[in-house]
């Protein structure tokens, strides 16, 4: 187990949980910036990074390169 916590999405809520494992991949030459309206939150991710997107039938997972303008992406209420 690691000596730090990660932000998780558990049962419809965000929660800090101990990190159990880490996957490391080489960084690709291209990174993507996802910005949420009204522009108060953005994140720099790899094209294959998973994001939660709200759909009519609930939350779905999309790769960063599959996210499109107009998608409702789950974001934290605040970040430190």
């Amino acid at each position: 187990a690691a000596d730090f916590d990660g932000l998780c999405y558990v049962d419809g809520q965000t929660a800090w949980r101990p990190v159990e494992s880490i996957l490391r991949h080489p960084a690709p030459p291209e990174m993507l910036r996802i910005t949420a309206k009204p522009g108060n939150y953005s994140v720099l991710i790899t094209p294959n990074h998973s994001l939660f997107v709200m759909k009519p039938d609930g939350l779905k997972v999309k790769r960063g390169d599959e996210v499109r303008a107009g998608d409702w992406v789950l974001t934290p209420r605040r970040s430190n």
Side-chain angles (χ1 to χ4, degrees):
D3 292 332
F4 54 90
D5 293 339
L7 186 61
C8 303
Y9 186 70
V10 180
D11 298 325
Q13 301 289 320
T14 56
W16 291 97
R17 297 283 192 259
V19 172
E20 296 177 3
S21 63
I22 297 173
L23 293 175
R24 189 172 205 178
H25 302 281
E30 177 187 10
M31 299 290 284
L32 305 173
R33 179 164 303 279
I34 305 292
T35 303
K37 285 188 175 181
N40 60 349
Y41 180 81
S42 71
V43 64
L44 189 64
I45 61 171
T46 62
N48 63 345
H49 185 94
S50 298
L51 297 169
F52 289 104
V53 177
M54 182 59 74
K55 295 292 184 183
D57 56 341
L59 284 176
K60 301 297 177 189
V61 176
K62 276 190 167 184
R63 290 171 40 123
D65 60 1
E66 295 173 337
V67 174
R68 300 291 178 255
D71 281 346
W72 288 62
V73 178
L74 184 70
T75 63
R77 287 187 184 183
R78 61 186 166 169
S79 63
N80 296 336

mmCIF file of all heavy atoms in Angstrom, residues 15-65:
data_model
loop_
_atom_site.group_PDB
_atom_site.id
_atom_site.type_symbol
_atom_site.label_atom_id
_atom_site.label_comp_id
_atom_site.label_asym_id
_atom_site.label_seq_id
_atom_site.Cartn_x
_atom_site.Cartn_y
_atom_site.Cartn_z
ATOM 1 N N ALA A 15 -14.486 10.716 -2.709
ATOM 2 C CA ALA A 15 -13.909 10.363 -1.413
ATOM 3 C C ALA A 15 -12.412 10.123 -1.582
ATOM 4 O O ALA A 15 -11.969 9.634 -2.626
ATOM 5 C CB ALA A 15 -14.582 9.109 -0.867
ATOM 6 N N TRP A 16 -11.657 10.469 -0.572
ATOM 7 C CA TRP A 16 -10.224 10.165 -0.555
ATOM 8 C C TRP A 16 -10.048 8.771 0.015
ATOM 9 O O TRP A 16 -10.575 8.453 1.078
ATOM 10 C CB TRP A 16 -9.476 11.188 0.291
ATOM 11 C CG TRP A 16 -9.440 12.538 -0.334
ATOM 12 C CD1 TRP A 16 -10.266 13.586 -0.083
ATOM 13 C CD2 TRP A 16 -8.550 12.981 -1.353
ATOM 14 N NE1 TRP A 16 -9.948 14.655 -0.872
ATOM 15 C CE2 TRP A 16 -8.886 14.313 -1.666
ATOM 16 C CE3 TRP A 16 -7.489 12.394 -2.038
ATOM 17 C CZ2 TRP A 16 -8.214 15.057 -2.620
ATOM 18 C CZ3 TRP A 16 -6.812 13.137 -2.988
ATOM 19 C CH2 TRP A 16 -7.174 14.444 -3.277
ATOM 20 N N ARG A 17 -9.320 7.926 -0.723
ATOM 21 C CA ARG A 17 -9.070 6.545 -0.302
ATOM 22 C C ARG A 17 -7.580 6.235 -0.452
ATOM 23 O O ARG A 17 -6.919 6.786 -1.342
ATOM 24 C CB ARG A 17 -9.857 5.553 -1.176
ATOM 25 C CG ARG A 17 -11.358 5.695 -1.080
ATOM 26 C CD ARG A 17 -11.842 5.068 0.233
ATOM 27 N NE ARG A 17 -13.273 4.942 0.240
ATOM 28 C CZ ARG A 17 -14.096 5.761 0.869
ATOM 29 N NH1 ARG A 17 -13.633 6.787 1.522
ATOM 30 N NH2 ARG A 17 -15.392 5.565 0.841
ATOM 31 N N PRO A 18 -7.056 5.315 0.378
ATOM 32 C CA PRO A 18 -5.650 4.931 0.222
ATOM 33 C C PRO A 18 -5.403 4.324 -1.164
ATOM 34 O O PRO A 18 -6.220 3.551 -1.671
ATOM 35 C CB PRO A 18 -5.442 3.876 1.311
ATOM 36 C CG PRO A 18 -6.534 4.126 2.310
ATOM 37 C CD PRO A 18 -7.703 4.656 1.509
ATOM 38 N N VAL A 19 -4.302 4.698 -1.780
ATOM 39 C CA VAL A 19 -3.941 4.161 -3.086
ATOM 40 C C VAL A 19 -3.450 2.729 -2.893
ATOM 41 O O VAL A 19 -2.581 2.463 -2.056
ATOM 42 C CB VAL A 19 -2.844 5.031 -3.753
ATOM 43 C CG1 VAL A 19 -2.326 4.367 -5.011
ATOM 44 C CG2 VAL A 19 -3.392 6.419 -4.039
ATOM 45 N N GLU A 20 -4.030 1.788 -3.659
ATOM 46 C CA GLU A 20 -3.661 0.383 -3.549
ATOM 47 C C GLU A 20 -2.647 -0.034 -4.599
ATOM 48 O O GLU A 20 -1.839 -0.921 -4.372
ATOM 49 C CB GLU A 20 -4.902 -0.494 -3.653
ATOM 50 C CG GLU A 20 -5.884 -0.269 -2.509
ATOM 51 C CD GLU A 20 -7.141 -1.087 -2.651
ATOM 52 O OE1 GLU A 20 -7.237 -1.890 -3.606
ATOM 53 O OE2 GLU A 20 -8.042 -0.917 -1.818
ATOM 54 N N SER A 21 -2.695 0.592 -5.767
ATOM 55 C CA SER A 21 -1.737 0.270 -6.830
ATOM 56 C C SER A 21 -1.662 1.446 -7.799
ATOM 57 O O SER A 21 -2.557 2.284 -7.842
ATOM 58 C CB SER A 21 -2.140 -1.004 -7.578
ATOM 59 O OG SER A 21 -3.377 -0.832 -8.223
ATOM 60 N N ILE A 22 -0.588 1.467 -8.567
ATOM 61 C CA ILE A 22 -0.361 2.531 -9.539
ATOM 62 C C ILE A 22 0.044 1.902 -10.859
ATOM 63 O O ILE A 22 0.871 0.992 -10.891
ATOM 64 C CB ILE A 22 0.750 3.495 -9.067
ATOM 65 C CG1 ILE A 22 0.319 4.197 -7.784
ATOM 66 C CG2 ILE A 22 1.097 4.496 -10.146
ATOM 67 C CD1 ILE A 22 1.399 5.042 -7.160
ATOM 68 N N LEU A 23 -0.552 2.368 -11.943
ATOM 69 C CA LEU A 23 -0.144 1.970 -13.286
ATOM 70 C C LEU A 23 0.624 3.133 -13.895
ATOM 71 O O LEU A 23 0.166 4.273 -13.841
ATOM 72 C CB LEU A 23 -1.352 1.655 -14.161
ATOM 73 C CG LEU A 23 -2.171 0.442 -13.771
ATOM 74 C CD1 LEU A 23 -3.403 0.337 -14.648
ATOM 75 C CD2 LEU A 23 -1.337 -0.816 -13.887
ATOM 76 N N ARG A 24 1.753 2.841 -14.471
ATOM 77 C CA ARG A 24 2.555 3.904 -15.075
ATOM 78 C C ARG A 24 2.765 3.582 -16.551
ATOM 79 O O ARG A 24 3.132 2.466 -16.898
ATOM 80 C CB ARG A 24 3.891 3.986 -14.363
ATOM 81 C CG ARG A 24 4.690 5.172 -14.766
ATOM 82 C CD ARG A 24 5.896 5.285 -13.898
ATOM 83 N NE ARG A 24 6.298 6.689 -13.885
ATOM 84 C CZ ARG A 24 7.273 7.154 -13.206
ATOM 85 N NH1 ARG A 24 7.965 6.351 -12.432
ATOM 86 N NH2 ARG A 24 7.586 8.414 -13.268
ATOM 87 N N HIS A 25 2.500 4.573 -17.388
ATOM 88 C CA HIS A 25 2.664 4.434 -18.822
ATOM 89 C C HIS A 25 3.560 5.561 -19.321
ATOM 90 O O HIS A 25 3.545 6.656 -18.755
ATOM 91 C CB HIS A 25 1.316 4.531 -19.545
ATOM 92 C CG HIS A 25 0.324 3.514 -19.097
ATOM 93 N ND1 HIS A 25 0.360 2.218 -19.521
ATOM 94 C CD2 HIS A 25 -0.722 3.606 -18.234
ATOM 95 C CE1 HIS A 25 -0.628 1.545 -18.956
ATOM 96 N NE2 HIS A 25 -1.294 2.367 -18.170
ATOM 97 N N PRO A 26 4.295 5.325 -20.386
ATOM 98 C CA PRO A 26 5.070 6.438 -20.955
ATOM 99 C C PRO A 26 4.123 7.551 -21.416
ATOM 100 O O PRO A 26 3.044 7.284 -21.928
ATOM 101 C CB PRO A 26 5.784 5.820 -22.155
ATOM 102 C CG PRO A 26 5.732 4.342 -21.938
ATOM 103 C CD PRO A 26 4.512 4.086 -21.105
ATOM 104 N N ALA A 27 4.527 8.796 -21.182
ATOM 105 C CA ALA A 27 3.703 9.925 -21.615
ATOM 106 C C ALA A 27 3.716 10.018 -23.132
ATOM 107 O O ALA A 27 4.772 9.956 -23.750
ATOM 108 C CB ALA A 27 4.216 11.220 -21.008
ATOM 109 N N PRO A 28 2.548 10.153 -23.753
ATOM 110 C CA PRO A 28 2.499 10.293 -25.201
ATOM 111 C C PRO A 28 2.971 11.692 -25.606
ATOM 112 O O PRO A 28 2.996 12.600 -24.779
ATOM 113 C CB PRO A 28 1.023 10.099 -25.530
ATOM 114 C CG PRO A 28 0.314 10.547 -24.296
ATOM 115 C CD PRO A 28 1.220 10.186 -23.154
ATOM 116 N N PRO A 29 3.289 11.883 -26.867
ATOM 117 C CA PRO A 29 3.721 13.210 -27.308
ATOM 118 C C PRO A 29 2.601 14.254 -27.252
ATOM 119 O O PRO A 29 2.861 15.438 -27.173
ATOM 120 C CB PRO A 29 4.184 12.991 -28.743
ATOM 121 C CG PRO A 29 3.535 11.725 -29.175
ATOM 122 C CD PRO A 29 3.336 10.906 -27.946
ATOM 123 N N GLU A 30 1.352 13.799 -27.274
ATOM 124 C CA GLU A 30 0.210 14.721 -27.269
ATOM 125 C C GLU A 30 -0.542 14.613 -25.957
ATOM 126 O O GLU A 30 -0.836 13.524 -25.469
ATOM 127 C CB GLU A 30 -0.749 14.372 -28.410
ATOM 128 C CG GLU A 30 -1.995 15.213 -28.437
ATOM 129 C CD GLU A 30 -3.015 14.742 -29.466
ATOM 130 O OE1 GLU A 30 -2.836 13.662 -30.032
ATOM 131 O OE2 GLU A 30 -3.991 15.462 -29.669
ATOM 132 N N MET A 31 -0.839 15.760 -25.355
ATOM 133 C CA MET A 31 -1.671 15.813 -24.167
ATOM 134 C C MET A 31 -2.928 16.617 -24.527
ATOM 135 O O MET A 31 -2.914 17.409 -25.461
ATOM 136 C CB MET A 31 -0.936 16.489 -23.015
ATOM 137 C CG MET A 31 0.338 15.772 -22.596
ATOM 138 S SD MET A 31 0.040 14.198 -21.783
ATOM 139 C CE MET A 31 -0.491 14.729 -20.173
ATOM 140 N N LEU A 32 -4.011 16.392 -23.792
ATOM 141 C CA LEU A 32 -5.278 17.073 -24.047
ATOM 142 C C LEU A 32 -5.646 17.939 -22.850
ATOM 143 O O LEU A 32 -5.461 17.529 -21.707
ATOM 144 C CB LEU A 32 -6.397 16.059 -24.268
ATOM 145 C CG LEU A 32 -6.186 15.020 -25.356
ATOM 146 C CD1 LEU A 32 -7.305 13.992 -25.327
ATOM 147 C CD2 LEU A 32 -6.107 15.689 -26.709
ATOM 148 N N ARG A 33 -6.166 19.117 -23.089
ATOM 149 C CA ARG A 33 -6.695 19.957 -22.012
ATOM 150 C C ARG A 33 -8.212 19.929 -22.106
ATOM 151 O O ARG A 33 -8.792 20.303 -23.128
ATOM 152 C CB ARG A 33 -6.203 21.392 -22.108
ATOM 153 C CG ARG A 33 -6.789 22.252 -20.982
ATOM 154 C CD ARG A 33 -6.095 23.562 -20.761
ATOM 155 N NE ARG A 33 -4.684 23.439 -20.493
ATOM 156 C CZ ARG A 33 -4.140 23.140 -19.301
ATOM 157 N NH1 ARG A 33 -4.923 22.887 -18.274
ATOM 158 N NH2 ARG A 33 -2.829 23.091 -19.154
ATOM 159 N N ILE A 34 -8.839 19.458 -21.042
ATOM 160 C CA ILE A 34 -10.290 19.431 -20.943
ATOM 161 C C ILE A 34 -10.683 20.595 -20.036
ATOM 162 O O ILE A 34 -10.216 20.695 -18.906
ATOM 163 C CB ILE A 34 -10.793 18.101 -20.340
ATOM 164 C CG1 ILE A 34 -10.261 16.898 -21.129
ATOM 165 C CG2 ILE A 34 -12.313 18.093 -20.227
ATOM 166 C CD1 ILE A 34 -10.801 16.755 -22.520
ATOM 167 N N THR A 35 -11.542 21.489 -20.538
ATOM 168 C CA THR A 35 -11.980 22.650 -19.774
ATOM 169 C C THR A 35 -13.485 22.610 -19.615
ATOM 170 O O THR A 35 -14.214 22.447 -20.591
ATOM 171 C CB THR A 35 -11.574 23.960 -20.483
ATOM 172 O OG1 THR A 35 -10.156 23.963 -20.662
ATOM 173 C CG2 THR A 35 -11.990 25.175 -19.676
ATOM 174 N N ALA A 36 -13.930 22.746 -18.367
ATOM 175 C CA ALA A 36 -15.362 22.739 -18.080
ATOM 176 C C ALA A 36 -15.875 24.169 -18.067
ATOM 177 O O ALA A 36 -15.187 25.073 -17.601
ATOM 178 C CB ALA A 36 -15.620 22.075 -16.727
ATOM 179 N N LYS A 37 -17.078 24.376 -18.611
ATOM 180 C CA LYS A 37 -17.694 25.697 -18.566
ATOM 181 C C LYS A 37 -18.122 25.993 -17.145
ATOM 182 O O LYS A 37 -18.518 25.079 -16.437
ATOM 183 C CB LYS A 37 -18.898 25.758 -19.506
ATOM 184 C CG LYS A 37 -18.494 25.846 -20.940
ATOM 185 C CD LYS A 37 -19.701 26.098 -21.797
ATOM 186 C CE LYS A 37 -19.262 26.309 -23.238
ATOM 187 N NZ LYS A 37 -20.391 26.585 -24.098
ATOM 188 N N PRO A 38 -18.031 27.164 -16.700
ATOM 189 C CA PRO A 38 -17.705 28.388 -17.417
ATOM 190 C C PRO A 38 -16.209 28.655 -17.495
ATOM 191 O O PRO A 38 -15.789 29.801 -17.572
ATOM 192 C CB PRO A 38 -18.420 29.470 -16.611
ATOM 193 C CG PRO A 38 -18.383 28.950 -15.212
ATOM 194 C CD PRO A 38 -18.495 27.445 -15.346
ATOM 195 N N GLY A 39 -15.396 27.635 -17.459
ATOM 196 C CA GLY A 39 -13.956 27.814 -17.572
ATOM 197 C C GLY A 39 -13.240 27.846 -16.239
ATOM 198 O O GLY A 39 -12.066 28.175 -16.166
ATOM 199 N N ASN A 40 -13.939 27.481 -15.180
ATOM 200 C CA ASN A 40 -13.333 27.546 -13.861
ATOM 201 C C ASN A 40 -12.585 26.272 -13.467
ATOM 202 O O ASN A 40 -12.042 26.182 -12.380
ATOM 203 C CB ASN A 40 -14.376 27.882 -12.794
ATOM 204 C CG ASN A 40 -15.486 26.856 -12.737
ATOM 205 O OD1 ASN A 40 -15.622 26.005 -13.601
ATOM 206 N ND2 ASN A 40 -16.302 26.958 -11.706
ATOM 207 N N TYR A 41 -12.558 25.275 -14.333
ATOM 208 C CA TYR A 41 -11.851 24.026 -14.034
ATOM 209 C C TYR A 41 -11.307 23.469 -15.331
ATOM 210 O O TYR A 41 -12.017 23.360 -16.327
ATOM 211 C CB TYR A 41 -12.809 23.004 -13.393
ATOM 212 C CG TYR A 41 -12.147 21.702 -13.073
ATOM 213 C CD1 TYR A 41 -11.386 21.556 -11.914
ATOM 214 C CD2 TYR A 41 -12.240 20.614 -13.925
ATOM 215 C CE1 TYR A 41 -10.750 20.371 -11.618
ATOM 216 C CE2 TYR A 41 -11.607 19.420 -13.639
ATOM 217 C CZ TYR A 41 -10.875 19.298 -12.485
ATOM 218 O OH TYR A 41 -10.244 18.119 -12.197
ATOM 219 N N SER A 42 -10.032 23.122 -15.328
ATOM 220 C CA SER A 42 -9.460 22.423 -16.483
ATOM 221 C C SER A 42 -8.430 21.432 -15.989
ATOM 222 O O SER A 42 -7.898 21.557 -14.877
ATOM 223 C CB SER A 42 -8.836 23.405 -17.481
ATOM 224 O OG SER A 42 -7.655 23.951 -16.958
ATOM 225 N N VAL A 43 -8.172 20.433 -16.808
ATOM 226 C CA VAL A 43 -7.229 19.389 -16.455
ATOM 227 C C VAL A 43 -6.459 18.991 -17.712
ATOM 228 O O VAL A 43 -7.012 18.973 -18.818
ATOM 229 C CB VAL A 43 -7.960 18.192 -15.808
ATOM 230 C CG1 VAL A 43 -8.916 17.520 -16.770
ATOM 231 C CG2 VAL A 43 -6.979 17.186 -15.240
ATOM 232 N N LEU A 44 -5.191 18.690 -17.558
ATOM 233 C CA LEU A 44 -4.338 18.230 -18.651
ATOM 234 C C LEU A 44 -4.188 16.726 -18.513
ATOM 235 O O LEU A 44 -3.735 16.243 -17.462
ATOM 236 C CB LEU A 44 -2.973 18.924 -18.577
ATOM 237 C CG LEU A 44 -2.027 18.723 -19.744
ATOM 238 C CD1 LEU A 44 -2.614 19.335 -21.013
ATOM 239 C CD2 LEU A 44 -0.678 19.351 -19.442
ATOM 240 N N ILE A 45 -4.607 15.986 -19.543
ATOM 241 C CA ILE A 45 -4.635 14.520 -19.460
ATOM 242 C C ILE A 45 -4.052 13.891 -20.721
ATOM 243 O O ILE A 45 -3.894 14.549 -21.740
ATOM 244 C CB ILE A 45 -6.074 13.993 -19.255
ATOM 245 C CG1 ILE A 45 -6.971 14.382 -20.439
ATOM 246 C CG2 ILE A 45 -6.655 14.492 -17.952
ATOM 247 C CD1 ILE A 45 -8.325 13.720 -20.427
ATOM 248 N N THR A 46 -3.779 12.596 -20.636
ATOM 249 C CA THR A 46 -3.371 11.840 -21.813
ATOM 250 C C THR A 46 -4.625 11.456 -22.598
ATOM 251 O O THR A 46 -5.723 11.411 -22.032
ATOM 252 C CB THR A 46 -2.607 10.557 -21.425
ATOM 253 O OG1 THR A 46 -3.478 9.705 -20.670
ATOM 254 C CG2 THR A 46 -1.368 10.872 -20.604
ATOM 255 N N PRO A 47 -4.502 11.139 -23.881
ATOM 256 C CA PRO A 47 -5.681 10.761 -24.669
ATOM 257 C C PRO A 47 -6.409 9.530 -24.131
ATOM 258 O O PRO A 47 -7.615 9.399 -24.308
ATOM 259 C CB PRO A 47 -5.114 10.486 -26.062
ATOM 260 C CG PRO A 47 -3.885 11.330 -26.127
ATOM 261 C CD PRO A 47 -3.314 11.295 -24.736
ATOM 262 N N ASN A 48 -5.701 8.621 -23.437
ATOM 263 C CA ASN A 48 -6.374 7.408 -22.955
ATOM 264 C C ASN A 48 -6.803 7.493 -21.492
ATOM 265 O O ASN A 48 -7.267 6.526 -20.925
ATOM 266 C CB ASN A 48 -5.505 6.180 -23.180
ATOM 267 C CG ASN A 48 -4.212 6.212 -22.412
ATOM 268 O OD1 ASN A 48 -3.805 7.251 -21.903
ATOM 269 N ND2 ASN A 48 -3.532 5.089 -22.341
ATOM 270 N N HIS A 49 -6.679 8.680 -20.889
ATOM 271 C CA HIS A 49 -7.111 8.866 -19.502
ATOM 272 C C HIS A 49 -8.629 8.750 -19.425
ATOM 273 O O HIS A 49 -9.344 9.300 -20.253
ATOM 274 C CB HIS A 49 -6.666 10.251 -19.003
ATOM 275 C CG HIS A 49 -6.951 10.473 -17.557
ATOM 276 N ND1 HIS A 49 -6.019 10.216 -16.591
ATOM 277 C CD2 HIS A 49 -8.062 10.927 -16.927
ATOM 278 C CE1 HIS A 49 -6.547 10.510 -15.406
ATOM 279 N NE2 HIS A 49 -7.779 10.940 -15.586
ATOM 280 N N SER A 50 -9.136 8.047 -18.425
ATOM 281 C CA SER A 50 -10.578 7.846 -18.265
ATOM 282 C C SER A 50 -11.224 9.011 -17.535
ATOM 283 O O SER A 50 -10.686 9.501 -16.547
ATOM 284 C CB SER A 50 -10.849 6.562 -17.481
ATOM 285 O OG SER A 50 -10.349 5.452 -18.172
ATOM 286 N N LEU A 51 -12.393 9.434 -18.033
ATOM 287 C CA LEU A 51 -13.192 10.477 -17.403
ATOM 288 C C LEU A 51 -14.618 9.972 -17.267
ATOM 289 O O LEU A 51 -15.100 9.208 -18.107
ATOM 290 C CB LEU A 51 -13.199 11.744 -18.259
ATOM 291 C CG LEU A 51 -11.859 12.430 -18.470
ATOM 292 C CD1 LEU A 51 -11.981 13.497 -19.548
ATOM 293 C CD2 LEU A 51 -11.364 13.039 -17.183
ATOM 294 N N PHE A 52 -15.305 10.407 -16.215
ATOM 295 C CA PHE A 52 -16.719 10.074 -16.049
ATOM 296 C C PHE A 52 -17.549 11.125 -16.773
ATOM 297 O O PHE A 52 -17.361 12.326 -16.576
ATOM 298 C CB PHE A 52 -17.110 10.058 -14.575
ATOM 299 C CG PHE A 52 -16.545 8.903 -13.802
ATOM 300 C CD1 PHE A 52 -15.474 9.091 -12.949
ATOM 301 C CD2 PHE A 52 -17.088 7.645 -13.939
ATOM 302 C CE1 PHE A 52 -14.952 8.038 -12.229
ATOM 303 C CE2 PHE A 52 -16.571 6.575 -13.232
ATOM 304 C CZ PHE A 52 -15.494 6.770 -12.366
ATOM 305 N N VAL A 53 -18.499 10.668 -17.615
ATOM 306 C CA VAL A 53 -19.365 11.550 -18.384
ATOM 307 C C VAL A 53 -20.816 11.181 -18.086
ATOM 308 O O VAL A 53 -21.184 10.007 -18.099
ATOM 309 C CB VAL A 53 -19.076 11.410 -19.903
ATOM 310 C CG1 VAL A 53 -20.022 12.259 -20.721
ATOM 311 C CG2 VAL A 53 -17.625 11.767 -20.198
ATOM 312 N N MET A 54 -21.644 12.195 -17.803
ATOM 313 C CA MET A 54 -23.053 11.949 -17.515
ATOM 314 C C MET A 54 -23.821 11.723 -18.814
ATOM 315 O O MET A 54 -23.730 12.523 -19.740
ATOM 316 C CB MET A 54 -23.659 13.131 -16.751
ATOM 317 C CG MET A 54 -25.112 12.924 -16.370
ATOM 318 S SD MET A 54 -25.402 11.485 -15.330
ATOM 319 C CE MET A 54 -24.760 12.057 -13.779
ATOM 320 N N LYS A 55 -24.550 10.630 -18.862
ATOM 321 C CA LYS A 55 -25.411 10.279 -19.995
ATOM 322 C C LYS A 55 -26.832 10.081 -19.480
ATOM 323 O O LYS A 55 -27.036 9.976 -18.267
ATOM 324 C CB LYS A 55 -24.910 8.990 -20.669
ATOM 325 C CG LYS A 55 -23.549 9.132 -21.316
ATOM 326 C CD LYS A 55 -23.662 10.050 -22.496
ATOM 327 C CE LYS A 55 -22.368 10.168 -23.260
ATOM 328 N NZ LYS A 55 -22.465 11.101 -24.354
ATOM 329 N N PRO A 56 -27.846 10.020 -20.353
ATOM 330 C CA PRO A 56 -29.226 9.850 -19.885
ATOM 331 C C PRO A 56 -29.417 8.627 -18.983
ATOM 332 O O PRO A 56 -30.261 8.646 -18.086
ATOM 333 C CB PRO A 56 -30.033 9.705 -21.183
ATOM 334 C CG PRO A 56 -29.224 10.440 -22.198
ATOM 335 C CD PRO A 56 -27.785 10.193 -21.809
ATOM 336 N N ASP A 57 -28.609 7.576 -19.181
ATOM 337 C CA ASP A 57 -28.751 6.369 -18.364
ATOM 338 C C ASP A 57 -27.713 6.281 -17.239
ATOM 339 O O ASP A 57 -27.459 5.220 -16.699
ATOM 340 C CB ASP A 57 -28.711 5.123 -19.244
ATOM 341 C CG ASP A 57 -27.460 5.032 -20.093
ATOM 342 O OD1 ASP A 57 -26.782 6.064 -20.292
ATOM 343 O OD2 ASP A 57 -27.139 3.933 -20.563
ATOM 344 N N GLY A 58 -27.092 7.416 -16.890
ATOM 345 C CA GLY A 58 -26.159 7.429 -15.762
ATOM 346 C C GLY A 58 -24.737 7.753 -16.188
ATOM 347 O O GLY A 58 -24.480 8.114 -17.341
ATOM 348 N N LEU A 59 -23.811 7.623 -15.247
ATOM 349 C CA LEU A 59 -22.406 7.912 -15.536
ATOM 350 C C LEU A 59 -21.785 6.832 -16.404
ATOM 351 O O LEU A 59 -21.987 5.644 -16.166
ATOM 352 C CB LEU A 59 -21.603 8.015 -14.232
ATOM 353 C CG LEU A 59 -21.773 9.287 -13.438
ATOM 354 C CD1 LEU A 59 -21.000 9.196 -12.134
ATOM 355 C CD2 LEU A 59 -21.303 10.488 -14.230
ATOM 356 N N LYS A 60 -21.028 7.250 -17.383
ATOM 357 C CA LYS A 60 -20.285 6.353 -18.263
ATOM 358 C C LYS A 60 -18.827 6.793 -18.274
ATOM 359 O O LYS A 60 -18.514 7.947 -17.982
ATOM 360 C CB LYS A 60 -20.845 6.392 -19.694
ATOM 361 C CG LYS A 60 -22.303 6.008 -19.798
ATOM 362 C CD LYS A 60 -22.519 4.579 -19.364
ATOM 363 C CE LYS A 60 -24.003 4.233 -19.404
ATOM 364 N NZ LYS A 60 -24.301 2.967 -18.803
ATOM 365 N N VAL A 61 -17.940 5.892 -18.603
ATOM 366 C CA VAL A 61 -16.518 6.212 -18.702
ATOM 367 C C VAL A 61 -16.162 6.440 -20.165
ATOM 368 O O VAL A 61 -16.557 5.662 -21.031
ATOM 369 C CB VAL A 61 -15.654 5.064 -18.123
ATOM 370 C CG1 VAL A 61 -14.181 5.351 -18.312
ATOM 371 C CG2 VAL A 61 -15.968 4.860 -16.658
ATOM 372 N N LYS A 62 -15.451 7.549 -20.425
ATOM 373 C CA LYS A 62 -14.953 7.839 -21.769
ATOM 374 C C LYS A 62 -13.457 8.113 -21.681
ATOM 375 O O LYS A 62 -12.981 8.672 -20.691
ATOM 376 C CB LYS A 62 -15.613 9.099 -22.347
ATOM 377 C CG LYS A 62 -16.933 8.895 -22.999
ATOM 378 C CD LYS A 62 -17.326 10.177 -23.732
ATOM 379 C CE LYS A 62 -18.479 9.989 -24.667
ATOM 380 N NZ LYS A 62 -18.772 11.207 -25.430
ATOM 381 N N ARG A 63 -12.746 7.743 -22.720
ATOM 382 C CA ARG A 63 -11.346 8.136 -22.835
ATOM 383 C C ARG A 63 -11.283 9.631 -23.114
ATOM 384 O O ARG A 63 -12.221 10.197 -23.670
ATOM 385 C CB ARG A 63 -10.678 7.398 -23.993
ATOM 386 C CG ARG A 63 -10.466 5.922 -23.782
ATOM 387 C CD ARG A 63 -10.011 5.230 -25.055
ATOM 388 N NE ARG A 63 -9.054 6.032 -25.821
ATOM 389 C CZ ARG A 63 -7.838 5.637 -26.167
ATOM 390 N NH1 ARG A 63 -7.429 4.431 -25.842
ATOM 391 N NH2 ARG A 63 -7.045 6.412 -26.860
ATOM 392 N N GLY A 64 -10.181 10.248 -22.745
ATOM 393 C CA GLY A 64 -10.026 11.676 -22.986
ATOM 394 C C GLY A 64 -10.220 12.059 -24.433
ATOM 395 O O GLY A 64 -10.824 13.088 -24.739
ATOM 396 N N ASP A 65 -9.724 11.230 -25.357
ATOM 397 C CA ASP A 65 -9.857 11.550 -26.781
ATOM 398 C C ASP A 65 -11.257 11.267 -27.332
ATOM 399 O O ASP A 65 -11.542 11.547 -28.484
ATOM 400 C CB ASP A 65 -8.785 10.856 -27.613
ATOM 401 C CG ASP A 65 -8.805 9.337 -27.521
ATOM 402 O OD1 ASP A 65 -9.664 8.770 -26.816
ATOM 403 O OD2 ASP A 65 -7.927 8.708 -28.134
#
